[in-house]
């Protein structure tokens, strides 16, 4: 439709039709069979007019089902306006890729774009129009279970990957076949919830909000995201979903966002519980005034906008502003001409989980793995007797609690994949223990809670595992969190692997010292005990549908791991929040030094820092060479190093450029990532790598509210981890 036709439609719509375009309901109200419920069950009781004229539906998918719903709906709709179908496609639709935190470990925006492009194609043929992804929340506290959905603790890396993911989802035109509309979430600063408690208060000063948290969302807006979702938390003491300063001043006026704003699940109604809105009606008014266009699964809009309009508390113009944006999004997607867009049962059969998609999922998993420890035991040598011992040995539940459209049955487990390799022809397999012990309550989460294993059966599992370890030359232990222990509403105060698995680990250590850990988790964990005794630790996160193949590719040496941590691994939970780009304080220092910014009973540094990850080979990086040590205000500096692969295996290194403004009008982080480069080197091969340092990299949010650089001394590091000491200095002149 033309814009004029959209306007004409808008003018023809009744008040009820307009209001209900701003209502989003789950598929439950459309008699959908398989509905993914991602929030509390609410007794909304929408009347049938709301159901028959609501603007959008979440939580259902499948070409056939969505065509049925669309057909029934449009027949009844007075103006035959099509529904928008939205879904949490967080890291894949049917072909499930590694969790976003794992994908971030690849430090590879091109790969993330490729994965998102496949997810979009699979979602599109399944009838989906909008995906609730990327999650752009910066995270610093692993007690918050949703770190698994994020791209980690660094604003630069986050922004790079958010932009790449949106490009993958949307392509250059969301109406084009195989593209979907992306939704940047959760605006804003949801990752800063106090003490990692989900849905809790966010207390950060506005400069910190602007300097560390907002830039990633802005990268999403700049990448052209069609939708933004508000967050559950308050920002400066006002819930985000009713926060005009956040949604109008910043999102729309400063960032220039013109698309649709949707609330998070029931978030508008929850502003009453926050103690902000007097009641649901007040909440509805404040949310619409703030520019929230769609009320996801709360009764606020459906029950109150008409009365607000009739009493002139809101204007028709305000209502039309939101309805227009919803109609415009439907029009951009081409739904008025083709309400099914790409939904196609035949293509669904051909495309979902096809060979190529699995190959990319396998590649993404390999690149997401981070080798944390290795004394040379990996890659595995031929002819060794190998025992796999751990609850993830043959476990298909390695997708994640957000893989809500994925199917564990499609997963290739470690055991299944190993059967394809001669290396494991003698291997033996033992679960050794359940993932969590029977007392751990995982009820009520998206996904099936684990079934209890009787104590006597557990004892037998342990005994058999110990015998297996005695037999083996090398023990591979796939251990980790249960997939329902990370994701939404999974905040934890202890970051350890379930005790029942640690008991197994200790028993195996008693009989065999040659242990390799495969770590399955959605967040950084406290793995000090594993680090003490294991000869190798490979972080595999929740690796997705092709996890088993990818793990065997790395264990066998077919693939050389190259991943780097996108989030610091704490020494212990007491260190949280911990992140590399912190301020120096007046007393920086380390454990053992009195009067330093640290602890008496723990180091101040993490167990593994941001950007850390080993390889099966070694890379030597020469000292930095600068083409000049003085940067004129409008010039650049060229910083280069030579990188040499001094080992016997080809490998990929991820070079990281960090910068510190040594002294400025406000304190600056001890270092900030400003650029990355992935380089592949054959054994003994050497390459010169050059970074360009530009003035934009030196800018920060000054006290006057402007982003600018200040003359003075800067340090620059180039290395393969945030703790690199390969440093040079330069001056930015006036
Ligand atoms: C959930 C999540 C959000 C998700 C939405 C729809 O509560 O916070 O990330 O997209 O509801 O499922």
């Amino acid at each position: 439709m033309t814009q004029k036709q959209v306007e004409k439609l808008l003018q023809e719509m009744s008040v009820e039709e307009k209001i209900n375009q701003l209502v989003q309901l789950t598929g439950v109200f459309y008699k959908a069979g398989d509905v993914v419920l991602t929030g509390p069950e609410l007794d909304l009781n929408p009347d049938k007019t709301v159901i028959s004229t609501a603007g959008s539906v979440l939580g259902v998918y499948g070409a056939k089902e969505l065509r049925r719903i669309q057909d029934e709906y449009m027949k009844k709709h007075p103006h035959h306006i099509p529904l928008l179908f939205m879904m949490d496609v967080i890291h894949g639709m049917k072909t499930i890729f590694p969790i976003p935190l794992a994908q971030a470990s690849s430090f590879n925006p091109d790969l993330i774009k490729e994965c998102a492009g496949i997810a979009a194609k699979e979602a599109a043929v399944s009838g989906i129009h909008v995906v609730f992804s990327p999650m752009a929340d910066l995270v610093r506290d692993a007690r918050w279970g949703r770190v698994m959905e994020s791209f980690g603790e660094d604003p630069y890396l986050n922004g790079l990957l958010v932009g790449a993911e949106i490009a993958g989802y949307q392509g250059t035109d969301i109406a084009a076949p195989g593209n979907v509309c992306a939704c940047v979430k959760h605006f804003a600063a949801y990752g800063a919830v106090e003490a990692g408690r989900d849905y809790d208060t966010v207390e950060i000063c506005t400069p910190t909000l602007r300097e560390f948290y907002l830039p990633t969302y802005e990268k999403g807006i700049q990448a052209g995201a069609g939708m933004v979702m508000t967050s559950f938390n308050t920002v400066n003491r006002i819930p985000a979903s009713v926060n005009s300063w956040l949604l109008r001043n910043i999102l729309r006026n400063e960032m220039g966002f013109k698309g649709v704003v949707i609330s998070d699940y029931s978030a508008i109604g929850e502003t009453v519980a926050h103690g902000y809105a007097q009641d649901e009606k007040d909440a509805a008014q404040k949310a619409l005034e703030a520019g929230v266009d769609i009320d996801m699964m709360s009764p606020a809009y459906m029950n109150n906008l008409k009365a607000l309009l009739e009493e002139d508390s809101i204007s028709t113009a305000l209502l039309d502003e939101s309805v227009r944006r919803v109609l415009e999004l439907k029009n951009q997607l081409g739904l008025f001409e083709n309400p099914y867009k790409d939904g196609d049962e035949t293509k669904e059969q051909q495309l979902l989980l096809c060979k190529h998609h699995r190959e990319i999922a396998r590649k993404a998993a390999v690149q997401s793995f981070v080798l944390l420890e290795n004394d040379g035991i990996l890659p595995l040598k031929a002819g060794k007797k190998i025992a796999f011992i751990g609850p993830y040995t043959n476990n298909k539940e390695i997708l994640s609690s957000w893989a809500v459209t994925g199917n564990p049955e499609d997963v290739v487990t470690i055991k299944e994949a190993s059967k394809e390799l001669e290396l494991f022809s003698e291997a033996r397999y033992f679960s050794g223990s359940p993932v969590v012990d029977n007392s751990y309550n995982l009820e009520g989460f998206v996904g099936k809670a684990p079934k209890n294993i009787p104590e006597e059966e557990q004892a037998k599992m342990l005994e058999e595992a110990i015998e297996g370890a005695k037999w083996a030359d090398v023990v591979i232990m796939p251990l980790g969190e249960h997939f329902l222990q990370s994701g939404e509403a999974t905040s934890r105060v202890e970051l350890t692997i379930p005790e029942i698995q640690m008991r197994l680990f200790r028993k195996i250590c008693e009989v065999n010292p040659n242990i390799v850990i495969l770590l399955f988790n959605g967040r950084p964990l406290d793995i000090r005990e594993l680090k003490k005794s294991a000869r190798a630790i490979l972080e595999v996160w929740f690796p997705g549908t092709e996890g088993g193949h990818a793990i065997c590719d790395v264990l066998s040496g077919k693939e050389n791991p190259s991943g780097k941590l996108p989030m610091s691994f704490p020494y212990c939970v007491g260190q949280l929040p911990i992140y590399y780009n912190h301020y120096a304080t007046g007393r920086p220092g380390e454990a053992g030094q009195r009067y330093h910014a640290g602890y008496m009973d723990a180091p101040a540094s993490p167990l593994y820092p941001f950007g850390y990850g080993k390889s099966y080979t070694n890379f030597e990086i020469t000292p930095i060479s600068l083409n000049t040590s003085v940067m004129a205000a409008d010039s650049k500096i060229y910083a280069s190093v030579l990188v040499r692969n001094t080992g016997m295996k080809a490998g990929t290194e991820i070079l990281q450029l960090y910068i510190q403004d040594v002294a400025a009008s406000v304190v600056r982080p001890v270092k900030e990532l400003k650029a990355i480069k992935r380089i592949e080197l054959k054994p003994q091969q050497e390459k010169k790598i050059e970074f360009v340092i530009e003035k934009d990299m030196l800018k920060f949010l000054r006290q006057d509210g402007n982003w600018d650089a200040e003359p003075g001394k800067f340090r620059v590091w180039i290395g393969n981890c945030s703790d690199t000491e390969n440093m040079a200095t330069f001056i930015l002149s006036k």
Side-chain angles (χ1 to χ4, degrees):
M1 285 208 297
T2 63
Q3 188 59 34
K4 231 169 117 203
Q5 288 170 314
V6 171
E7 279 309 318
K8 184 167 173 295
L9 172 61
L10 182 59
Q11 300 322 320
E12 288 168 358
M13 289 164 76
S14 68
V15 167
E16 285 76 9
E17 281 181 80
K18 289 182 181 179
I19 289 170
N20 295 336
Q21 270 306 304
L22 310 186
V23 172
Q24 180 172 86
L25 300 172
T26 68
V28 166
F29 299 101
Y30 297 88
K31 300 191 288 302
D34 177 15
V35 178
V36 176
L37 271 189
T38 53
E41 298 260 352
L42 302 163
D43 49 354
L44 286 191
N45 300 320
D47 72 41
K48 57 184 187 315
T49 321
V50 172
I51 295 170
S52 62
T53 55
S56 56
V57 174
L58 84 153
V60 281
Y61 58 97
K64 186 175 177 194
E65 178 70 334
L66 296 190
R67 180 177 287 266
R68 172 192 68 79
I69 295 173
Q70 191 73 288
D71 284 345
E72 287 170 13
Y73 173 90
M74 286 181 70
K75 228 181 273 154
K76 287 184 204 152
H77 195 286
H79 284 92
H80 313 296
I81 298 173
L83 276 168
L84 266 176
F85 290 113
M86 306 191 196
M87 191 75 218
D88 289 288
V89 179
I90 308 303
H91 53 105
M93 177 78 198
K94 221 40 166 188
T95 306
I96 301 297
F97 299 100
I99 57 173
L101 193 61
Q103 290 187 41
S105 306
S106 71
F107 277 57
N108 187 349
D110 293 340
L111 177 69
I112 281 158
K113 180 178 175 182
E114 191 174 16
C115 294
I118 289 172
K121 286 186 181 63
E122 292 195 357
V125 294
S126 306
I128 299 296
H129 304 139
V130 179
V131 295
F132 291 134
S133 173
M135 192 251 229
D137 305 328
L138 188 84
V139 294
R140 295 172 158 176
D141 191 325
R143 289 172 291 183
W144 191 50
R146 302 197 73 165
V147 301
M148 54 86 62
E149 304 167 55
S150 78
F151 288 131
E153 70 189 49
D154 178 71
Y156 168 81
L157 183 66
N158 251 316
L160 196 61
L161 303 185
V162 161
E165 191 155 74
I166 290 167
Y169 286 137
Q170 298 195 155
T172 51
D173 171 8
I174 57 175
N179 294 342
V180 292
C181 173
C183 175
V184 173
K185 67 187 187 181
H186 306 80
F187 198 72
Y190 182 19
V193 286
E194 214 154 66
R197 283 187 299 273
D198 210 348
Y199 317 119
D200 208 305
T201 301
V202 165
E203 266 305 317
I204 50 179
C205 65
T206 300
T208 296
L209 172 73
R210 284 182 174 279
E211 185 150 34
F212 288 96
Y213 289 86
L214 293 183
T216 314
Y217 305 106
E218 186 158 27
K219 288 288 182 198
I221 306 313
Q222 289 164 354
M227 190 175 285
V228 167
M229 182 186 294
T230 62
S231 58
F232 289 117
N233 54 283
T234 52
V235 177
N236 291 345
R237 299 179 296 168
I238 297 177
S241 303
V242 288
N243 192 322
S244 289
W245 173 77
L246 185 69
L247 300 179
R248 290 219 183 260
N249 299 19
I250 292 186
L251 179 62
R252 294 210 186 274
N253 300 342
E254 286 183 23
M255 295 185 182
F257 181 62
K258 296 185 172 27
V260 170
V261 172
I262 186 170
S263 76
D264 203 338
Y265 194 108
S266 74
I268 294 176
E270 291 173 7
T271 58
V272 178
H274 269 285
Y276 180 78
Q278 300 298 328
D279 52 28
E280 224 175 65
K281 187 175 176 184
D282 186 34
Q285 177 172 348
K286 291 195 165 75
L288 198 70
E289 286 169 349
V292 178
D293 302 314
I294 297 179
D295 175 0
M296 181 196 293
M297 280 297 288
S298 112
Y301 279 13
M302 66 173 88
N303 292 348
N304 299 286
L305 288 186
K306 188 167 185 216
L308 288 164
L309 205 59
E310 285 162 353
E311 67 189 44
D312 282 338
S313 298
I314 60 170
S315 67
T316 303
L318 181 68
L319 176 66
D320 285 357
E321 178 195 326
S322 285
V323 179
R324 182 179 295 110
R325 283 193 284 257
V326 174
L327 295 178
E328 283 171 347
L329 177 58
K330 294 183 177 183
N331 198 34
Q332 285 155 24
L333 285 159
L335 298 185
F336 288 106
E337 289 73 30
N338 171 10
Y340 316 112
K341 196 170 182 297
D342 305 320
D344 181 315
E345 285 177 75
T346 312
K347 286 190 183 142
E348 234 177 351
Q349 297 301 324
Q350 293 161 348
L351 213 51
L352 271 51
L353 283 165
C354 67
K355 185 168 174 290
H356 173 62
H357 292 182
R358 279 186 176 270
E359 283 166 357
I360 302 304
R362 183 169 181 167
K363 177 176 81 168
V366 167
Q367 290 196 25
S368 73
F369 295 161
V370 184
L371 186 60
L372 299 175
E373 297 292 343
N374 184 32
D375 68 0
I377 192 170
L378 291 181
L380 297 170
K381 313 295 177 283
K384 296 286 184 189
K385 291 183 290 180
I386 291 163
F388 287 92
I389 299 177
Y392 280 105
T393 294
N394 193 31
N395 188 333
K396 286 186 176 285
E397 293 195 325
I398 56 174
L399 300 177
S400 94
S401 58
W402 269 117
V404 291
T405 52
N407 186 341
E409 293 319 305
D410 301 323
V411 163
V412 178
T413 68
I414 296 171
K415 180 175 181 181
E416 289 164 345
S418 68
K419 294 288 186 191
E420 298 168 16
L421 294 176
E422 176 58 28
L423 179 68
F424 300 108
S425 54
E426 303 294 311
R428 295 182 185 179
Y429 306 88
F430 308 86
S431 299
S433 82
V435 176
V436 289
D437 65 40
N438 292 339
S439 64
Y440 205 96
N441 175 21
L442 287 169
E443 287 308 325
F445 287 88
V446 178
K448 296 184 302 305
K451 58 184 188 312
N452 283 350
I453 297 178
E455 299 300 329
E456 55 280 2
E457 190 181 329
Q458 290 190 32
K460 187 164 176 290
M461 289 163 74
L462 180 59
E463 272 321 301
E464 287 169 354
I466 292 168
E467 289 314 304
K470 287 176 181 170
W471 162 84
D473 298 319
V474 178
V475 178
I476 314 277
M477 296 195 78
L479 307 174
E481 284 186 308
H482 191 278
F483 78 96
L484 292 175
Q485 282 185 289
S486 54
E488 185 171 352
T490 62
S491 298
R492 295 177 60 195
V493 293
E494 290 301 339
L495 293 183
T496 49
I497 288 173
E499 187 52 29
I500 193 128
Q501 294 182 52
M502 291 310 293
R503 187 187 69 170
L504 168 67
F505 172 69
R506 294 177 195 116
K507 290 286 184 192
I508 300 305
C509 287
E510 288 170 12
V511 297
N512 193 320
N514 303 318
I515 293 175
V516 173
I517 300 290
L518 303 175
L519 190 58
F520 289 77
N521 48 314
R523 67 198 341 141
L525 295 177
D526 170 355
I527 56 171
R528 280 173 289 162
E529 191 176 343
L530 300 180
K531 175 176 160 72
K532 247 189 232 124
S533 309
R535 292 186 57 191
I537 302 176
L538 182 68
E539 172 60 80
V540 299
W541 307 108
F542 285 113
T545 308
E546 281 292 317
H549 276 140
I551 286 168
C552 289
D553 289 345
V554 170
L555 290 177
S556 64
K558 176 172 174 274
E559 295 288 353
N560 182 356
S562 59
K564 304 286 182 183
L565 292 179
M567 195 174 175
S568 307
F569 265 54
Y571 176 84
C572 62
V573 70
Q575 280 189 331
L576 297 179
I578 191 165
Y579 45 96
Y580 86 93
N581 46 1
H582 58 81
Y583 299 130
T585 78
R587 296 188 175 181
E590 265 310 327
Q593 290 170 304
R594 204 96 171 94
Y595 306 115
H596 79 288
Y599 306 94
M600 289 181 73
D601 53 357
S605 321
L607 193 66
Y608 298 107
F610 173 86
Y612 171 87
K614 296 166 80 77
S615 167
Y616 287 157
T617 188
N618 274 308
F619 297 96
E620 261 171 27
I621 303 170
T622 62
I624 300 171
S625 142
L626 301 180
N627 69 315
T628 171
S629 58
V630 179
M631 183 185 195
D634 54 357
S635 72
K636 300 171 178 164
I637 287 189
Y638 295 88
S640 60
V641 294
L642 290 177
V643 188
R644 183 180 184 78
N645 178 347
T646 59
M648 302 309 288
K649 277 185 84 65
T652 299
E653 183 58 290
I654 295 167
L655 281 190
Q656 302 151 43
L657 177 96
Y658 295 90
I659 283 183
Q660 179 194 23
D661 188 340
V662 176
S665 54
V666 290
V667 294
R668 308 296 312 128
V670 292
K671 55 178 68 165
E672 296 177 272
L673 183 68
K674 294 294 182 183
I676 56 175
K677 283 187 191 279
R678 289 173 59 85
I679 46 167
E680 295 175 8
L681 292 173
K682 295 185 178 60
Q684 306 312 313
Q685 189 184 5
E686 179 175 273
K687 268 185 195 167
K688 177 182 176 184
I689 300 298
E690 185 171 82
F691 289 93
V692 182
I693 300 174
E694 301 180 293
K695 188 175 173 188
D696 273 355
M697 291 178 174
L698 315 182
K699 290 181 178 176
F700 64 93
L701 183 66
R702 294 160 44 107
Q703 271 188 308
D704 60 10
N706 294 317
W707 286 81
D708 206 346
E710 292 174 356
K713 182 178 172 188
F714 288 81
R715 294 191 181 100
V716 53
W717 292 262
I718 296 177
N720 58 7
C721 179
S722 61
D723 67 358
T724 178
E725 293 175 359
N726 191 25
M727 187 266 285
T729 59
F730 64 89
I731 301 290
L732 173 65
S733 66
K734 282 191 177 34

